[in-house]
Amino acid sequence: MMKAVSVNTCSGSIRIKKIMDRVTERKGTNVNHNSPKRIRKLQYLMILCAFCFPLRNHANDNLALKDVGPDQYKDLIQSRKAKILVVNFWATWCLPCRREFPAFVKFSQEADNSNAAVIFVSANFTDERKAVMTFLKKYGVKGESYLKTGKDGDFLAAVSDRWRGSLPATIIYGPARKPRFFHAGPMTYDDLVEEVNKIRRTLQEEGSNGGQSKRKEAKP
Amino acid sequence: MKHLARSILSGWILMLLLMSVQAGDQLEIGATMPKPNRKMKNVDGKQLSVADIKGKKGTVVAFWCNHCPYVIKYRSRFIELAKKYKDSGFGFITVNANDPEVYAGDNFEKMQEMAKRFSYPFPFVVDVGSVLAEAYGASRTPHIFLFDENDKLVYVGAIDDSTQPEKVKETYLADALDALLAGKPVPNASTRAFGCSIKWYKD
């Protein structure tokens, strides 16, 4: 969907450029050619263009850094469809965070993790957006990423009553965003896979126990 | 029935797992100061214990380091606070429990440099093996522990509620110190804040 829009916009912008060129060309020779009709057409195209540009950037880059405060955290994790949601809290200047980061990116990109997703919440200070974006780009993070805002105490209270605020930290949620795993400290790729698989097995058992039809999903 | 037993068992395993992943539990409010006589090397080269610097009214033990951006944000505020309350009878000590093998910027020479450059009004000691941090259940820098005159923990957590000085509304540590001076209970005895994880020494 996004791609189609971006292609259209591309050709749209090329067309605009051509028309603009023609207009300016003619402007030089004969002003009367700039009929109101043609100008209106140009205006329409420009409006279309203005609307499509953010979409085009989004499709190319697909990375966005959004603020998440204590009041938005619950909504954020609820909004994700994946059955298992891994939330990693990190910061650009946190050495163990930097070291474990590629493992989380790799995990998020694995094809067989279709029922699991990873979101990154940066605990960088709000005046460090640029550094956060640069870092995320460098590590090939796609989609929406988040920057923690608001007071630390409020934020931590909204996230977990187990976490005292040391970085990095990782929480893995199951369905209905029930926290299934918490770890304050770095993790390896293998740790992450193991923990997620454990949760999958637990969910499978809970599913078969409760006699619900969750059984066929959640294959490790 | 078998399923039920299995699910209970897996629940237990999960719980044990969740409990095991958290490094040392943080000292509870009311707990007695652990390892008061443990000697640690101060930036002046002398061996010092928390007991050596105890104040008449109480003692502030701050897990601290050189590199952490949170420590850097709080550095001058904490120095000012220490200067102010030292005269009222409180002892202050900062403890670096980070393994310099993990984070080179937290080595002893750098500690000396920082203490000198910012004229630390308190000792800054090396907790080799992160022994004190483990006993306290400290998890990050900065992580503050305030004990009363009887060495009972009366406040644990953050210095205040914002890394940005202009946004501070709650001066947790100062309020706790004032409460001790006034002989009143500490209003918010336990608070949380973001910080850099302690870089534990490898066994």
Side-chain angles (χ1 to χ4, degrees):
Chain A
M1 274 283 274
M2 253 359 156
K3 266 211 171 119
V5 171
S6 97
V7 168
N8 279 345
T9 324
C10 273
S11 61
S13 60
I14 290 163
R15 265 171 60 197
I16 292 169
K17 200 168 181 291
K18 275 184 184 164
I19 293 168
M20 287 280 270
D21 286 347
R22 250 187 289 162
V23 168
T24 44
E25 241 172 66
R26 280 173 189 176
K27 222 177 182 175
T29 52
N30 193 344
V31 184
N32 288 342
H33 277 276
N34 258 335
S35 66
K37 218 178 179 183
R38 194 180 287 274
I39 288 171
R40 207 180 299 149
K41 196 176 170 189
L42 197 74
Q43 279 174 339
Y44 282 142
L45 276 166
M46 281 173 102
I47 289 166
L48 183 81
C49 187
F51 271 107
C52 291
F53 255 108
L55 289 175
R56 200 180 134 227
N57 284 342
H58 191 242
N60 284 351
D61 217 356
N62 214 10
L63 172 67
L65 185 63
K66 294 196 168 179
D67 288 350
V68 58
D71 299 335
Q72 293 109 42
Y73 181 76
K74 288 251 150 59
D75 290 341
L76 165 66
I77 57 169
Q78 297 289 352
S79 72
R80 293 298 175 113
K81 298 278 181 289
K83 189 169 185 171
I84 293 170
L85 183 67
V86 178
V87 184
N88 178 249
F89 297 89
W90 68 287
T92 53
W93 30 251
C94 159
L95 184 72
C97 305
R98 287 206 299 271
R99 282 195 186 134
E100 70 167 1
F101 204 82
F104 284 79
V105 175
K106 186 185 170 198
F107 183 84
S108 73
Q109 289 165 348
E110 299 280 291
D112 63 335
N113 289 324
S114 51
N115 64 357
V118 178
I119 57 177
F120 294 102
V121 179
S122 163
N124 273 80
F125 305 114
T126 44
D127 57 1
E128 295 172 334
R129 291 184 147 270
K130 248 189 190 163
V132 175
M133 279 301 270
T134 308
F135 186 95
L136 292 169
K137 266 183 206 160
K138 187 180 156 195
Y139 283 87
V141 175
K142 300 264 186 284
E144 275 183 11
S145 206
Y146 303 90
L147 182 68
K148 173 233 130 196
T149 60
K151 295 269 165 95
D152 285 7
D154 299 339
F155 194 85
L156 290 164
V159 173
S160 164
D161 47 11
R162 297 166 45 84
W163 184 25
R164 302 203 185 276
S166 64
L167 290 168
T170 299
I171 304 179
I172 310 179
Y173 296 94
R177 296 302 169 246
K178 184 181 167 191
R180 297 275 177 167
F181 172 83
F182 168 78
H183 179 61
M187 290 176 78
T188 64
Y189 177 77
D190 290 344
D191 292 341
L192 189 56
V193 170
E194 197 187 322
E195 295 307 333
V196 168
N197 283 339
K198 262 186 217 165
I199 294 167
R200 281 180 177 146
R201 281 197 295 274
T202 312
L203 290 176
Q204 210 171 12
E205 277 169 25
E206 284 175 6
S208 59
N209 197 37
Q212 287 155 5
S213 59
K214 281 176 185 172
R215 214 179 217 169
K216 59 183 180 212
E217 306 165 46
K219 262 196 176 157
Chain B
M1 210 48 197
K2 203 176 156 193
H3 277 152
L4 186 72
R6 211 201 294 164
S7 77
I8 290 171
L9 186 72
S10 65
W12 269 105
I13 291 170
L14 189 78
M15 254 183 72
L16 286 173
L17 185 93
L18 286 173
M19 283 159 78
S20 67
V21 289
Q22 199 168 28
D25 278 343
Q26 182 182 274
L27 221 54
E28 299 276 344
I29 294 297
T32 307
M33 181 190 284
K35 300 192 182 292
N37 298 314
R38 171 178 160 73
K39 293 281 183 189
M40 294 168 285
K41 188 160 89 165
N42 187 19
V43 282
D44 63 6
K46 288 179 187 142
Q47 296 289 320
L48 204 65
S49 70
V50 178
D52 294 335
I53 60 92
K54 268 196 308 200
K56 272 189 186 135
K57 296 279 180 184
T59 310
V60 176
V61 181
F63 288 87
W64 205 249
C65 68
N66 299 323
H67 85 277
C68 175
Y70 292 97
V71 169
I72 294 166
K73 293 252 180 198
Y74 273 109
R75 191 163 45 207
S76 61
R77 259 182 283 175
F78 188 65
I79 289 171
E80 288 313 309
L81 191 134
K83 278 185 191 162
K84 185 179 166 191
Y85 285 92
K86 260 171 81 172
D87 296 339
S88 312
F90 289 101
F92 282 78
I93 187 167
T94 48
V95 181
N96 177 16
N98 285 356
D99 184 354
E101 297 264 317
V102 181
Y103 210 107
D106 285 328
N107 65 28
F108 186 70
E109 290 69 33
K110 198 86 184 167
M111 283 171 67
Q112 287 181 309
E113 189 191 316
M114 289 291 165
K116 199 176 164 195
R117 198 198 311 173
F118 296 99
S119 317
Y120 279 6
F122 35 65
F124 187 20
V125 299
V126 191
D127 179 23
V128 177
S130 322
V131 177
L132 199 76
E134 210 175 330
Y136 274 63
S139 57
R140 58 171 196 272
T141 53
H143 199 162
I144 311 293
F145 293 79
L146 167 64
F147 299 89
D148 67 8
E149 55 190 348
N150 301 315
D151 294 349
K152 301 288 179 204
L153 186 71
V154 290
Y155 175 75
V156 59
I159 293 167
D160 57 42
D161 69 343
S162 180
T163 49
Q164 295 159 274
E166 68 278 9
K167 288 194 179 164
V168 173
K169 288 211 174 77
E170 305 270 354
T171 50
Y172 300 129
L173 179 58
D175 294 350
L177 292 162
D178 288 338
L180 281 189
L181 285 176
K184 287 179 182 162
V186 171
N188 291 300
S190 178
T191 63
R192 293 189 285 176
F194 278 93
C196 302
S197 57
I198 286 182
K199 313 295 182 281
W200 303 96
Y201 281 77
K202 290 183 196 88
D203 295 323

